[in-house]
Amino acid sequence: MSTAIWVVIAVIVIAVIVAAVFLARSRARTQRLRRRFGPEYDRAVQQEGGRAAAERELRSREERHEELKLRDLDPRRREQYHEQWVRVQERFVDAPEAAVEQADGLVTVVMGERGYPTHGFEDKVAHLSVEHGRTMDHYRRAHAISGKAASKQASTEDLRQAMVHYRALFEELLSAPGTERTGRHAGEPAAAPRAGEAPAATAGRRDDHTPRS
């Protein structure tokens, strides 16, 4: 065969290799982002109108996240916040709307102490989703119910669900580094008390840093 034919063959082989490498890297990136962001990945695809745009948005979140100076809570602070949550949950029995408002505020306070932004709901979600993507649906639902509560459109059961959703993120923010929850899946909080129902006892054994009903 002539030199020209060999050159054409070489160009085709190189193009195929480059395409294969690109496809492999693209798939690896997609898998990594899916693992990291969980349900937030699919939400981003829907909101951004496609996988490529969604992945650009999620990588942008990662870059902004790297600029944060995050810090872990020491055991004393985790215990203090645990006790505050118990008081908020106890208040739910007599004042569910006020309890939900306080739960929202407490979650925001813990975010701030951890080093996350605390202004603008979507901005908070964008930063939190990098490490807590699997609980963002809980946070979004809690936020939506809080909005309904502000306009007096939330039922008592809605408010109870808001407490459950807020608690999912609260537990993750409060958990000690490397601590894995037992007894339920990550992001699946224990149930909040129903109106008129006293919360379960919280004293006694505390072998992890998960607030309990």
Side-chain angles (χ1 to χ4, degrees):
M1 290 187 290
S2 66
T3 302
I5 294 177
W6 281 113
V7 170
V8 171
I9 293 174
V11 169
I12 292 174
V13 170
I14 292 173
V16 170
I17 292 173
V18 169
V21 170
F22 175 82
L23 182 60
R25 288 180 176 178
S26 178
R27 286 177 176 173
R29 180 176 61 243
T30 296
Q31 291 174 355
R32 181 185 67 80
L33 291 172
R34 280 187 178 278
R35 285 195 300 269
R36 182 163 204 178
F37 287 91
E40 278 293 297
Y41 181 94
D42 294 327
R43 178 182 288 272
V45 170
Q46 184 176 15
Q47 288 183 336
E48 299 296 327
R51 182 175 60 82
E55 292 186 358
R56 284 196 297 270
E57 163 60 21
L58 296 178
R59 292 199 303 272
S60 174
R61 293 187 194 184
E62 289 180 322
E63 291 172 359
R64 286 178 285 158
H65 181 78
E66 289 176 0
E67 297 175 358
L68 299 178
K69 296 181 180 178
L70 299 180
R71 49 194 172 272
D72 295 318
L73 300 177
D74 63 48
R76 181 181 59 85
R77 293 297 287 163
R78 288 197 297 272
E79 184 66 16
Q80 289 174 349
Y81 283 129
H82 167 90
E83 292 170 354
Q84 288 182 47
W85 179 268
V86 171
R87 289 196 293 271
V88 170
Q89 186 163 281
E90 288 172 343
R91 189 178 185 188
F92 182 88
V93 176
D94 297 316
E97 288 185 353
V100 168
E101 183 178 357
Q102 289 183 343
D104 183 24
L106 183 56
V107 167
T108 300
V109 168
V110 176
M111 283 182 204
E113 185 155 345
R114 289 288 314 276
Y116 287 102
T118 58
H119 298 287
F121 177 72
E122 290 301 329
D123 193 43
K124 289 189 287 187
V125 167
H127 284 286
L128 287 166
S129 66
V130 178
E131 292 188 0
H132 305 283
R134 298 186 183 281
T135 55
M136 286 302 94
D137 187 57
H138 283 292
Y139 190 36
R140 291 180 190 277
R141 292 181 184 221
H143 179 74
I145 295 172
S146 291
K148 290 173 61 178
S151 57
K152 307 298 182 181
Q153 295 180 343
S155 67
T156 301
E157 178 59 21
D158 288 337
L159 297 171
R160 191 185 74 84
Q161 287 299 318
M163 293 292 291
V164 172
H165 293 314
Y166 276 127
R167 182 167 180 168
L169 179 57
F170 180 80
E171 289 186 350
E172 283 207 359
L173 291 171
L174 210 66
S175 61
T179 298
E180 294 185 2
R181 299 183 196 86
T182 58
R184 59 183 181 272
H185 296 295
E188 180 185 340
R194 298 182 182 275
E197 176 184 273
T202 57
R205 182 184 176 191
R206 291 180 180 172
D207 53 2
D208 61 20
H209 300 282
T210 302
R212 302 189 183 281
S213 301

